[in-house]
Amino acid sequence: MVTTERPESRPLGDRVYDAIFHNYVWRSVFRSGYPNTPRNQMLAVATNVFLHLHPTRIHRTHVKITHTFCLGGLSFFLFLGLTITGVLLMFYYVPSVERAYEDMQRIQTDVRFGMLMRNLHRWMAHGMVLAVLMHMMRVFYTGAYKPPREFNWVVGVVLLVLTLLLSFTGYLLPWDELSLWAITVGTNMVGSAPILGEPNRFVLIGGFDVGASALIRFYTLHVVGLPLLAAVFMTVHFWRIRRDGGLARPL
Amino acid sequence: MVISTQAAAQSPAVRARSRRSREEELLVWPDLVFVEFISAVLFTLSFTLLSVLIDAPLQDRANPAHTPDPSKAPWYFLNLQELLLHMHPALAGVIVPTVALAALAAIPYFDRSLEHQGEWLATPRAWTMTAIGAVVGTVGTILLILWDGQKHVVLWARLTGHDVAEWPAKLNWLRNARSIQNNIAWPESWRHIPLGSKVLRTDLLGLPKVDLDVNLPAVLVEQVIPVSFMVGLPLLLSLVLWRLGIAKTRRDHMIVQFSGFIAVFLTLTISGTFFRGSGMELFWFWDVKPAVS
Ligand code: HEM
């Protein structure tokens, strides 16, 4: 009798796994499988467009939560979250004095998940201001601004200002009493500067009072100008971290 | 890499630095990517939870004819709005924040020591410096706010059983900052110094006339005194700590100043947020009523 050796049938799990991860379409997106050797893991980080912000290796202490408390990362995460929820809010919001407030009410009552989006956007905005301030404190108290990281600290201060401005310009958009008067008080402070104060205030709010032109200016700055600037400075910030040899560590 | 040569030029400690030891390093995938992923999930969940539980406020439609009392800026600017109550608006609204940001950005250019970077409060005396800065900043700011709010007069009245109005007239100029301007018999000519028509004769050059009429006591109260407090007190603190031998290095001074700055910033923010009610007067925070319009 001749016995032919039949290939062992493979377990179901393996076959499902193969069907999902080893098919032609998947492979066209992710060229290699799960990186399970150190070499492949480093390649996975270095060759992926999103992950390659990271180095491939990192010092042991920097993975400890208590070293950074994830605060810089949290600021960035919140920036991304604000972009997403912000875009969704833009679908429903028209920055005109006639519509702005009514649109806010509609977002809250008529739009499915509108209230959730608005709440997320608001709380993340407050969270980002807090996170950036605390990130600055962590960088200071870990002495991470010392050479060669001086300039990245300066970039950080610019990011802090941009974060505050982003939040401030957003404050006007609901066009309720709180926003109108908060912006009036805030821009009056600008107006009180010697010599250049009044002209600056005039340019900022496009008139003598916070009105229709202030709304459109703040809106444009809030959704285009400032986010773009912030993105540019964040790019520089992250790039510098890499160029400065990763996070600071004891000599 | 470029940085190591730059750093090596500066300190023998750096020159002695061994090459990165590979054993001390982890792979970003999976160790860091994993932590980042988990934190992203956790923060998404907690912000979603927060947003389900608490709604963002939306008040009545904006109405330029109605001014709410108090009308406040967003919380992260309330520190400036608090300052605004005590000094010239140009100072509080523009000059102080600009100078503060510039000073903040300049920190790394003052303190260029390399030791103990990348570790929490690792320089010797770091914790002491933080504590001193924080305590002095908080207490000093609170005292100044109370003084400008005439709370020492209230305290005196409570302690001695007098009425607030009975504060000795001779000491009226000590009521608050403004009373230095109003309750001292300044020569009348000091209140109107016509710089515009006497000194800055732009009209002689064919330029428009400058209407500059300086009120010296007002300048003193609104500008000179606040500036000397804001610049002088931090400098004094550093000087004292240096003479006493408590602060020795630039990093020590940086820590004192930065901690002091954060403490002042927080105290002003808290005061502006929770302790200012109608008319931006000082109240206990349980007496502060929401804005009415
Ligand atoms: C939108 C604001 C900001 C974002 C998104 C951001 C993001 C980050 C991230 C992701 C890191 C990596 C380490 C960490 O997570 O702590 C970092 C490091 C750093 N950040 Fe920021 N940052 C911001 C604002 C600031 C500010 C306000 C400062 C200081 C004034 C600053 C100064 C630095 C410095 C010096 C480092 C290097 C730290 C080290 O080497 O240990 N950044 N930042």
Side-chain angles (χ1 to χ4, degrees):
Chain A
M1 237 183 34
V2 189
T3 52
T4 47
E5 224 174 290
R6 298 221 0 244
E8 241 179 83
S9 76
R10 299 187 323 121
L12 182 67
D14 277 11
R15 270 181 289 154
V16 173
Y17 182 89
D18 271 357
I20 298 175
F21 296 112
H22 288 165
N23 67 45
Y24 191 82
V25 176
W26 182 274
R27 276 306 165 101
S28 75
V29 183
F30 300 100
R31 296 223 163 92
S32 41
Y34 180 82
N36 45 13
T37 65
R39 191 190 129 79
N40 283 342
Q41 288 173 341
M42 286 195 276
L43 280 175
V45 174
T47 58
N48 180 291
V49 62
F50 301 110
L51 292 178
H52 96 285
L53 274 176
H54 300 99
T56 55
R57 295 194 182 86
I58 182 172
H59 196 265
R60 206 172 265 292
T61 50
H62 296 150
V63 189
K64 280 222 192 92
I65 303 287
T66 50
H67 185 69
T68 61
F69 288 101
C70 295
L71 286 165
L74 178 58
S75 314
F76 184 52
F77 166 82
L78 289 174
F79 180 74
L80 295 181
L82 284 162
T83 310
I84 296 170
T85 50
V87 166
L88 290 175
L89 291 174
M90 278 174 78
F91 289 164
Y92 302 99
Y93 174 85
V94 175
S96 76
V97 172
E98 292 75 39
R99 278 196 58 181
Y101 183 73
E102 282 70 25
D103 282 351
M104 289 320 276
Q105 286 180 320
R106 255 196 295 280
I107 287 175
Q108 298 196 358
T109 51
D110 296 1
V111 177
R112 194 159 298 182
F113 295 123
M115 191 79 219
L116 183 67
M117 282 308 125
R118 170 155 194 255
N119 292 347
L120 271 174
H121 198 74
R122 173 64 68 110
W123 303 136
M124 282 185 165
H126 285 313
M128 184 167 167
V129 174
L130 269 181
V132 173
L133 284 174
M134 288 188 342
H135 169 60
M136 177 180 81
M137 289 171 70
R138 107 79 187 140
V139 171
F140 179 86
Y141 287 113
T142 54
Y145 57 80
K146 298 176 176 199
R149 293 179 183 77
E150 306 99 319
F151 185 65
N152 218 12
W153 170 271
V154 178
V155 174
V157 174
V158 175
L159 281 171
L160 172 67
V161 176
L162 288 175
T163 308
L164 292 177
L165 288 180
L166 268 167
S167 186
F168 184 64
T169 48
Y171 227 80
L172 183 62
L173 305 186
W175 206 250
D176 63 350
E177 293 212 306
L178 184 68
S179 43
L180 182 71
W181 289 102
I183 301 309
T184 305
V185 171
T187 50
N188 279 347
M189 288 195 201
V190 176
S192 59
I195 307 164
L196 287 181
E198 262 312 314
N200 268 332
R201 181 180 125 86
F202 191 88
V203 171
L204 193 63
I205 62 177
F208 292 106
D209 293 313
V210 178
S213 32
L215 183 56
I216 193 75
R217 278 175 203 212
F218 274 48
Y219 175 77
T220 314
L221 286 174
H222 186 74
V223 303
V224 189
L226 293 168
L228 271 182
L229 261 183
V232 169
F233 276 92
M234 281 183 201
T235 314
V236 177
H237 198 57
F238 300 155
W239 176 244
R240 283 298 287 228
I241 297 176
R242 294 289 306 277
R243 300 310 297 165
D244 294 341
L247 298 195
R249 70 208 153 89
L251 300 175
Chain B
M1 237 192 293
V2 189
I3 46 120
S4 34
T5 50
Q6 185 193 344
Q10 281 160 349
S11 146
V14 183
R15 240 173 283 145
R17 175 173 172 170
S18 59
R19 303 217 84 236
R20 278 171 188 236
S21 51
R22 286 278 183 238
E23 297 84 72
E24 285 299 296
E25 290 181 338
L26 302 172
L27 290 177
V28 162
W29 183 304
D31 294 280
L32 182 64
V33 176
F34 181 72
V35 176
E36 287 176 340
F37 179 72
I38 295 295
S39 350
V41 171
L42 284 182
F43 280 117
T44 310
L45 287 181
S46 36
F47 272 100
T48 311
L49 190 68
L50 182 72
S51 303
V52 169
L53 293 180
I54 310 178
D55 283 346
L58 185 68
Q59 304 183 341
D60 289 341
R61 194 176 200 286
N63 179 356
H66 275 268
T67 315
D69 175 29
S71 43
K72 292 190 182 184
W75 63 268
Y76 41 83
F77 285 144
L78 283 184
N79 35 65
L80 296 181
Q81 214 182 334
E82 172 70 45
L83 273 189
L84 194 65
L85 300 169
H86 308 284
M87 56 191 73
H88 194 273
L91 212 50
V94 181
I95 301 174
V96 171
T98 311
V99 172
L101 284 170
L104 208 56
I107 289 178
Y109 300 92
F110 281 118
D111 168 27
R112 287 185 276 181
S113 60
L114 290 165
E115 291 75 29
H116 297 288
Q117 52 176 301
E119 278 174 285
W120 277 92
L121 291 158
T123 46
R125 303 178 295 281
W127 283 100
T128 323
M129 295 300 133
T130 310
I132 295 178
V135 170
V136 174
T138 313
V139 175
T141 314
I142 293 178
L143 289 180
L144 283 173
I145 292 178
L146 290 179
W147 167 62
D148 211 23
Q150 305 204 30
K151 294 301 173 197
H152 57 299
V153 179
V154 177
L155 183 70
W156 167 85
R158 283 268 167 82
L159 290 182
T160 58
H162 283 88
D163 191 70
V164 186
E166 292 175 273
W167 178 261
K170 261 199 201 141
L171 295 182
N172 256 345
W173 62 282
L174 274 181
R175 276 176 171 271
N176 64 3
R178 191 56 81 182
S179 55
I180 296 178
Q181 176 189 345
N182 295 337
N183 296 325
I184 292 181
W186 299 99
E188 203 44 42
S189 57
W190 289 22
R191 295 190 187 266
H192 303 283
I193 302 179
L195 276 189
S197 51
K198 291 277 165 58
V199 183
L200 287 173
R201 295 296 302 272
T202 42
D203 49 326
L204 294 184
L205 297 170
L207 295 171
K209 257 183 99 112
V210 188
D211 265 334
L212 202 58
D213 188 30
V214 174
N215 180 345
L216 205 59
V219 170
L220 183 71
V221 164
E222 292 173 351
Q223 301 180 30
V224 179
I225 293 180
V227 169
S228 38
F229 279 179
M230 286 183 295
V231 178
L233 295 183
L235 284 184
L236 186 67
L237 176 63
S238 262
L239 189 72
V240 169
L241 291 177
W242 172 60
R243 294 309 293 253
L244 292 179
I246 300 175
K248 298 202 172 82
T249 61
R250 286 190 179 201
R251 171 76 173 154
D252 290 350
H253 287 287
M254 281 299 108
I255 298 182
V256 169
Q257 296 296 337
F258 183 82
S259 308
F261 171 75
I262 296 289
V264 172
F265 180 90
L266 285 180
T267 314
L268 290 175
T269 312
I270 290 171
S271 164
T273 312
F274 297 115
F275 293 92
R276 294 284 174 185
S278 167
M280 293 302 273
E281 293 290 333
L282 273 182
F283 288 94
W284 288 112
F285 71 83
W286 50 85
D287 291 335
V288 171
K289 309 220 166 30
V292 286
S293 46

